[in-house]
Amino acid sequence: MDGNGRWATRRGLPRTAGHAAGARAVHRVIEAAARGPIDALTLYAFSSDNWSRPAGEVGNLMDLLERYLVAETDRCIANGVRVSIIGRRDRLRPGLSSTIGQTEALTCEGANLRLRLAIDYSSRDAIALAATQPPCSTGTSRSAFAERLAASCNTTATALDVDLLIRTGGERRLSDFLLWECAYAELVFVDTLWPDFDEDALIEAMRQFRQRERRFGGLEPAHAGNLR
Ligand code: FPP
């Protein structure tokens, strides 16, 4: 969700105003996703590397996340949105940790949309942690490792492969986001700054996704037929 800072700077506002506008965009996009054909949505709210930002900005983001969860839990329940958090929890302030626990418990029956917020999340840390776990009875298949990886992200949500990854704000990187899960993700990069991202932008990204030919390393059916 890139571009909050630039959105604010362009308006002569502090970066905190950009993050607040970003939170409003989060609200819009979750509502749109819950209405549409999306089964699961993961939003990268705070990476483990974001701890290196100035303490004031980090504190503001933590406040915003906590306030957002408190304010939106009832609406998530009403819209059938099941919220879970992926990432480390041991470095979060106690108030945010307990709010996360409450939101996860209160929304656990939601069946319309699985919403995952990545907070203090690093894909490389999660993979490294999962790799150090002893082998389990289900073996070391890809799917067994994916389950172990989900557990290493401290989430009760099951492992998910990413179909479509959208990055806003003109950046063209993965930035340590769901690296294993994005093995066959379709990537859509948009210049729109996150606070300006809305339902139309989401629909446009899904339109691009539908035009992609997903072969997962195989051949498109017509060519496969020719080679038989
Ligand atoms: C990165 O772009 C954005 C973040 C580190 C924070 C994302 C947070 C939100 C969208 C709001 C809170 C989230 C929720 C779930 C309520 P940047 O703002 O650093 O962008 P820049 O490249 O323009 O500086």
Side-chain angles (χ1 to χ4, degrees):
M1 299 188 282
D2 263 297
N4 296 346
R6 277 167 284 164
W7 184 92
T9 305
R10 284 177 195 177
R11 287 164 177 75
L13 298 170
R15 291 177 60 82
T16 49
H19 292 316
R24 293 193 289 277
V26 166
H27 171 90
R28 286 197 301 271
V29 168
I30 293 171
E31 298 252 305
R35 275 195 301 273
I38 296 173
D39 173 50
L41 173 70
T42 307
L43 297 174
Y44 204 178
F46 190 86
S47 80
S48 295
D49 290 327
N50 287 149
W51 290 114
S52 66
R53 293 189 178 208
E57 179 163 347
V58 169
N60 170 255
L61 281 168
M62 295 296 145
D63 286 345
L64 200 54
L65 287 166
E66 190 171 338
R67 272 190 275 121
Y68 185 87
L69 290 173
V70 170
E72 295 287 319
T73 295
D74 282 349
R75 189 177 287 269
C76 286
I77 297 168
N79 288 343
V81 176
R82 178 179 183 171
V83 183
S84 44
I85 272 54
I86 60 171
R88 284 180 64 163
R89 302 201 181 184
D90 56 310
R91 300 190 289 197
L92 302 180
R93 52 166 78 148
L96 176 56
S97 271
S98 70
T99 300
I100 285 172
Q102 284 162 21
T103 302
E104 287 181 329
L106 289 167
T107 62
C108 70
E109 304 285 333
N112 264 351
L113 174 71
R114 283 177 287 171
L115 170 68
R116 304 191 309 167
L117 299 179
I119 301 176
D120 196 0
Y121 174 79
S122 155
S123 183
R124 290 197 293 191
D125 286 352
I127 292 169
L129 184 62
T132 60
Q133 305 300 308
C136 50
S137 54
T138 45
T140 50
S141 65
R142 288 178 181 179
S143 62
F145 186 79
E147 292 303 332
R148 237 196 278 174
L149 185 55
S152 79
C153 296
N154 292 310
T155 180
T156 47
T158 49
L160 290 173
D161 277 344
V162 175
D163 290 312
L164 165 63
L165 179 138
I166 306 168
R167 182 148 192 182
T168 60
E171 311 291 358
R172 280 152 177 76
R173 295 184 290 274
L174 292 183
S175 295
D176 204 9
F177 184 62
L178 298 173
L179 300 177
W180 168 282
E181 295 86 342
C182 280
Y184 281 102
E186 298 296 332
L187 310 181
V188 171
F189 297 112
V190 296
D191 291 331
T192 311
L193 303 177
W194 174 255
D196 294 326
F197 198 83
D198 58 10
E199 182 165 17
D200 286 345
L202 182 64
I203 289 169
E204 169 56 21
M206 291 195 294
R207 189 192 64 76
Q208 289 186 38
F209 172 77
R210 285 196 199 93
Q211 286 183 334
R212 305 276 174 93
E213 187 188 288
R214 303 191 79 198
R215 298 195 303 273
F216 299 94
L219 295 179
E220 60 177 304
H223 291 140
N226 291 342
L227 293 173
R228 264 190 216 115

